[in-house]
Amino acid sequence: MNFILLQALKSYAARKKMHDQFGKAFEGIRKDMKLDDLLARQIAEKFDQLDSDHDGSIDVTEFMGALQVMGLTMKKSDALRTMSSITGGGDKIMLADFKKVIAAAANKNTEAGVDELLRIALGNFARKAAFQRQLAASNFELAKIALDRVAVKFKQIDSKKDGKLDADVR
């Protein structure tokens, strides 16, 4: 029941259809009902599901299994790079790292449950890995093209033609 109430409150707050006074009280209500604790427990339960060997961390095999369950694919090298980015250089995702990833997805998707937040986060990482692979495969031609376009635009707006962009003060 608390989870349903939390989702309804988040939905109204996100759509700005909540009265300002009630919106301000929302944080107090969340704390009184321990809704943050509920979400934290759900995140921990999802982490435990993915940690199939129950060693307290998600390794690359478990991470790739989670991707596969979500209908996503990623090369092992991309998965390791993604895990390193999540953990700040490590090769295993700990619960604290997992919570940060879910929290980042929750900030923009206030109505989503833990499974959907995980799907969103993993999808974002998979798209980023695919883009990085494409960029590297093109010998960074895409980056060169983008930089060339920026240089052309810069020249167009450099009114003094001195290689600097000046604030137009009137």
Side-chain angles (χ1 to χ4, degrees):
M1 181 58 122
N2 286 347
F3 182 73
I4 293 169
L5 180 57
L6 172 65
Q7 295 305 320
L9 289 172
K10 282 183 177 180
S11 174
Y12 281 112
R15 288 190 241 144
K16 309 269 191 252
K17 292 187 177 182
M18 184 181 291
H19 188 279
D20 286 341
Q21 184 179 7
F22 186 67
K24 290 175 186 172
F26 179 55
E27 288 307 312
I29 293 169
R30 288 175 59 117
K31 288 178 183 174
D32 290 346
M33 294 181 67
K34 300 183 191 263
L35 295 176
D36 291 329
D37 294 340
L38 174 66
L39 187 58
R41 280 194 310 275
Q42 290 174 337
I43 292 170
E45 287 171 7
K46 179 52 73 177
F47 180 86
D48 289 341
Q49 286 176 1
L50 298 177
D51 179 19
S52 57
D53 62 5
H54 306 291
D55 66 349
S57 65
I58 297 174
D59 62 26
V60 69
T61 303
E62 293 163 331
F63 184 76
M64 292 183 73
L67 287 168
Q68 193 173 37
V69 166
M70 301 290 172
L72 305 167
T73 58
M74 190 182 289
K75 290 183 176 184
K76 187 173 183 176
S77 60
D78 292 335
L80 286 167
R81 190 173 22 257
T82 298
M83 291 174 68
S84 178
S85 127
I86 290 170
T87 63
D91 62 351
K92 291 189 176 196
I93 299 172
M94 306 306 286
L95 179 58
D97 302 318
F98 189 75
K99 284 180 181 180
K100 288 178 196 172
V101 169
I102 299 298
N107 284 336
K108 292 189 178 186
N109 303 282
T110 57
E111 296 183 37
V114 173
D115 286 338
E116 183 61 21
L117 293 172
L118 180 60
R119 183 174 286 109
I120 289 166
L122 292 178
N124 289 341
F125 282 116
R127 281 189 296 283
K128 181 179 176 184
F131 176 73
Q132 288 172 337
R133 224 181 13 262
Q134 288 174 343
L135 190 59
S138 73
N139 253 352
F140 295 93
E141 285 299 316
L142 294 175
K144 291 175 189 173
I145 291 168
L147 287 174
D148 290 343
R149 287 181 180 171
V150 168
V152 168
K153 191 64 173 175
F154 184 91
K155 287 178 184 177
Q156 289 174 351
I157 59 177
D158 181 11
S159 59
K160 294 181 182 176
K161 305 300 181 204
D162 61 355
K164 297 178 184 176
L165 296 180
D166 302 308
D168 190 15
V169 181
R170 293 179 197 229

